[in-house]
Amino acid sequence: MEAMPPTDERSNRSDPSSEPRSELSTVASIRRLHPYVRTALPRLAGGLLASLGASLMALAIPRVLQWVTDGPLASGARDHDWAGLAWSVVLVATLGVGEAGLILLRRTLVMFPGTRVEAAMRTALFRHLQDLPVSFHDRWPGGQLLSRIMGDLGLLRRWLVFGILQLVVSIVTIVVGVGLLVATGGWLGIIFLCGAIPVTVLAFRFSRKYRKISRLSQDQSGDLATTVEESVHGIRVLKAFGRGPDALDQFTEQAAELRETEIRKATTDAGLTTALRVIPEVTQAVALVVGVYLVASGDMTLGALVAFFTTTAVINGPVVDLGMTLSMTLNARTAVDRFFEVMDTVNPLTDPERPADLPPVTPGRGGTTGGHVALRDVTFRFDDAERPVLDHVDLELPPGTTTALVGLTGSGKSTLAMLAPRLFDVTAGRVEVDGVDVRDMTREQVRERVAVAFEDPTLFSASVRDNVLLGVPDDLPAAEREALMTESLEIAQAHFVADLPDGADTRIGEEGMSLSGGQRQRLALARAIAARPRVLVLDDPLSALDVTTEEAVTARLRDVLVATTTLVIAHRPSTVALADRVAVLQGGRITAVGTHQELLATDPHYRYIISSLEEDYAAHAGEEPAPDQPAPSQSAPQSQEALS
């Protein structure tokens, strides 16, 4: 269902960047991934063991070289143990091949579960976004959500299949390698171990600084994606008003800020990587001087010295990689936080544990029975608003009738229209459909019975058929679905569909922007009609149509949907005149209900509203207001007094 927030009553939007940040440690944050990676853990664990095995094989090679140097190679050339040399070559080759095989096994084990975890998290996030209320999407820019569901989850997949394994393997390799150096190299091992102290301090300082920069970078990427999204969607407006250069300036400024952040991030990462290269090299140089002295003095064998430096060569790789894997881990932690910022958002619109039993809605030419709507002492206030938009509203919509809701801009019309389909929940009071509070139904039950067509229609990049039949059950026979589509298009006066290149199978492009505004509105109306609801809410869905087409659509609606209750948010006098009843919304309250003629005769505020609608419509059509209609004054009360 399309959902457009009520723009005339909505107050300030919240900035998602102001949402609470995670105060969990990196380990605690990443542990939250367990429900999503649980099924992949066996293969990930297997990949980790394969990586550790490869690392230990690499560390075993220096021990073989030590034995070869101090054994078969220690004698003169004539006394060499050629059999021992041959076996040592075979052993080193075996260890090398085994290391390569384990690395290949690791890649095979972790690649597929990593992509499955990414797909599962992406599906879970999209499902949650679909479930969250309109108020959430009113606050959050689309680019921020897009960056989380695409960029962040892609980063998490790369970390799962490479980063976390490499981090664990690097740490284990360094710890085991340094242990071997201390055990076999004596003072040389202690010298190398001393280099770990500044490395640890630098890594700790790096993690604190890099985490903040990483978060800033990913948030700025989301903001940039939002700017691109808004510019693409509003490209016609930008071109029409010649504001393309301004949009480019804004984009360039945001891109420059992101570039500066990325440079800071890369500089911070490069600083740690440089330190991780320089410190081990310095300690190796010191160890080399000391080692040569120890060998010359007979306190260390040549084989032990060879094994020491061969081991340091094995360790240096993980030490240098530690900076990259640590930065990847911190980026992954930020991605996890951003993912759960959305997933932790609680949907206040929940389904009851025991939904009310209602008769099934069966689509058909005769419509459906029921459709009685009642708003009883309804109050609604947005969370960030000081005053309620609707204040103790009482309104009855008898079954099978058309009620027009009129009011000045900001009176709460669109908000009231969103209560029946339960896009918002009332702050107080009840909204009933056929005597049942909509909160006692599941949202699926409510939206099977209540369909909405909005003034600003949202169509999807699909065929006309798919758009019109969006609310029709998939299990309905194909012939019935086709009949529903044909009839709905005819009721909405969408005859232009027959002239499209592929008829109803024509793809209409993103948001249907290849169509005119009136064509989009008629398809959106046909979509609402095809759902055969008990209650049809029309938030001025015919504003782009001429009066003749509007009359034809309304007449067909009355003929076909005889059992459907219709609530129309009216912005044109012609719409009001075609309704059975009219409800006047003033100051968040229903102040009058009656026929158009009755209210014209008895309600000054209604006459003021109608005169305003006529003036607005005449101005839109390029005409002057009708001479027998008084022009509205600057304030409603004065106009009411004059009309009295």
Side-chain angles (χ1 to χ4, degrees), residues 50 139 175 196 198 201 212 218 222 246 268 323 343 426 445 561 570:
R139 293 197 317 269
V175 171
V201 173
K212 296 179 181 178
Q218 285 166 262
D246 294 327
T268 304
M343 295 298 294
V426 298
Q445 284 178 318
L561 302 180

Side-chain angles (χ1 to χ4, degrees), residues 278-303:
V278 171
I279 292 174
E281 296 293 342
V282 172
T283 55
Q284 278 186 286
V286 175
L288 179 60
V289 174
V290 176
V292 170
Y293 172 78
L294 292 175
V295 171
S297 62
D299 295 328
M300 175 181 281
T301 65
L302 181 61

Side-chain angles (χ1 to χ4, degrees), residues 448-465:
E448 282 179 351
R449 288 157 175 79
V450 183
V452 187
F454 297 94
E455 177 183 9
D456 186 14
T458 297
L459 301 177
F460 297 94
S461 182
S463 67
V464 170
R465 174 179 282 101

Side-chain angles (χ1 to χ4, degrees), residues 72-257:
L73 290 178
S75 307
R78 294 181 180 180
D79 300 327
H80 283 335
D81 181 1
W82 296 105
L85 286 174
W87 278 111
S88 64
V89 171
V90 171
L91 183 56
V92 169
T94 301
L95 290 172
V97 172
E99 179 185 3
L102 288 174
I103 291 174
L104 178 61
L105 177 63
R106 186 259 297 174
R107 291 180 179 273
T108 303
L109 286 172
V110 302
M111 184 58 64
F112 295 106
T115 55
R116 282 199 296 268
V117 169
E118 179 187 20
M121 293 181 69
R122 183 167 287 137
T123 302
L125 182 55
F126 187 77
R127 182 186 300 114
H128 191 58
L129 287 174
Q130 293 293 305
D131 186 61
L132 286 171
V134 174
S135 57
F136 171 87
H137 295 280
D138 196 24
R139 293 197 317 269
W140 282 73
Q144 284 288 349
L145 299 176
L146 182 63
S147 68
R148 283 163 167 78
I149 202 169
M150 298 301 297
D152 287 355
L153 293 183
L155 188 153
L156 273 175
R157 172 185 55 80
R158 293 189 293 273
W159 178 76
L160 282 172
V161 302
F162 174 76
I164 187 172
L165 301 184
Q166 191 66 25
L167 180 65
V168 173
V169 169
S170 294
I171 292 174
V172 171
T173 301
I174 292 170
V175 171
V176 173
V178 171
L180 290 173
L181 292 180
V182 173
T184 60
W187 285 105
L188 298 186
I190 295 175
I191 292 172
F192 195 86
L193 183 61
C194 288
I197 298 175
V199 168
T200 303
V201 173
L202 288 172
F204 178 75
R205 294 178 60 185
F206 167 82
S207 64
R208 296 183 62 183
K209 183 177 182 181
Y210 190 87
R211 200 177 97 189
K212 296 179 181 178
I213 301 175
S214 174
R215 175 67 200 225
L216 179 61
S217 171
Q218 285 166 262
D219 284 344
Q220 288 177 339
S221 296
D223 292 338
L224 196 62
T226 298
T227 298
V228 174
E229 180 190 40
E230 291 178 346
S231 298
V232 170
H233 287 173
I235 190 64
R236 289 169 175 79
V237 176
L238 293 176
K239 287 181 176 294
F241 288 91
R243 308 305 290 185
D246 294 327
L248 178 59
D249 290 342
Q250 180 185 356
F251 177 84
T252 303
E253 182 180 351
Q254 288 181 286
E257 291 177 354

Side-chain angles (χ1 to χ4, degrees), residues 397-414:
L397 305 181
T401 61
T402 298
T403 302
L405 183 65
V406 299
L408 299 176
T409 301
S411 59
K413 302 185 298 298
S414 294

